[in-house]
Amino acid sequence: MLTTTRIEKITQQLLMKLRVNHPNELNFERITKGLGIKVKYWEFESEIVKRKGKNIIFLNNYSNEITRWQNLVHEIGHLYLHVGRQENLPYEFVQLQEWQANTFMYYFCVPTVMLDELHTITPAEVSRIFNVDYSFSVRRVEMYESRKNAVMQKRRTLAYV
């Protein structure tokens, strides 16, 4: 098991709350129903709003199913990581929030604990098992391998101390 980041811990807690233990349980209906999120479709980019105490995620109605899933989780990331709207924030803070929501998306769509259980971790396998697009799976595998290598390097360094 690798060490976990703050964002990864939030995704793990959320997956536990939703009782998601297998990749096939990572699906649109289960997640939106479990979180009580309403989804609406429109022609613009994805966005999350709170109206009358209810969270509504707007997704682009022209995007494919996989892109909608990834965008849904990105917006859920904003819900669990951030407060308020971005319109009045400085550009740098907006960029930080987008990076954080993207990181949440990678960890939620392809949880590390589930990657740890795979025998073969390739972008093609990750894409197939977790129903994410190939470029997404390439990045997620890079993130996973990078952290795994950093942990191994740290262990080697500590062994020499």
Side-chain angles (χ1 to χ4, degrees):
M1 177 66 182
L2 303 174
T3 57
T4 55
T5 65
R6 176 186 160 270
I7 294 174
E8 190 168 19
K9 285 178 186 174
I10 292 168
T11 62
Q12 288 173 350
Q13 291 167 350
L14 189 54
L15 290 167
M16 284 176 41
K17 173 185 171 186
L18 294 167
R19 294 187 175 107
V20 172
N21 299 303
H22 303 285
N24 64 340
E25 296 171 339
L26 287 163
N27 65 68
F28 204 94
E29 294 77 25
R30 181 182 185 130
I31 301 308
T32 55
K33 185 178 178 184
L35 296 176
I37 293 172
K38 186 171 186 169
V39 176
K40 294 191 176 213
Y41 298 95
W42 64 353
E43 65 273 14
F44 307 106
E45 290 185 24
S46 62
E47 183 176 329
I48 186 165
V49 296
K50 191 168 203 150
R51 290 207 178 119
K52 298 179 183 176
K54 302 279 184 188
N55 294 303
I56 304 169
I57 293 180
F58 290 88
L59 297 174
N60 183 284
N61 56 350
Y62 299 113
S63 58
N64 65 41
E65 185 180 329
I66 291 174
T67 301
R68 284 183 188 168
W69 165 244
Q70 292 170 190
N71 288 338
L72 172 80
V73 175
H74 174 94
E75 296 304 328
I76 292 170
H78 284 298
L79 175 64
Y80 281 88
L81 299 172
H82 309 129
V83 176
R85 306 213 18 103
Q86 293 180 335
E87 285 89 5
N88 297 319
L89 290 177
Y91 175 78
E92 292 79 7
F93 285 113
V94 172
Q95 292 304 107
L96 174 63
Q97 286 188 348
E98 291 304 315
W99 177 86
Q100 290 170 335
N102 281 334
T103 301
F104 178 96
M105 175 183 63
Y106 284 111
Y107 287 141
F108 190 96
C109 288
V110 184
T112 301
V113 67
M114 293 183 196
L115 279 176
D116 288 339
E117 295 173 4
L118 298 180
H119 297 290
T120 306
I121 301 174
T122 65
E125 277 297 291
V126 169
S127 182
R128 182 184 65 77
I129 292 168
F130 293 94
N131 198 30
V132 293
D133 68 35
Y134 187 78
S135 61
F136 183 104
S137 64
V138 167
R139 177 67 186 125
R140 184 61 180 103
V141 169
E142 286 172 354
M143 292 168 68
Y144 179 79
E145 293 296 333
S146 175
R147 185 125 60 81
K148 194 169 142 183
N149 290 338
V151 169
M152 294 303 291
Q153 180 63 37
K154 186 175 181 179
R155 286 182 184 156
R156 282 193 292 269
T157 301
L158 292 174
Y160 292 115
V161 174

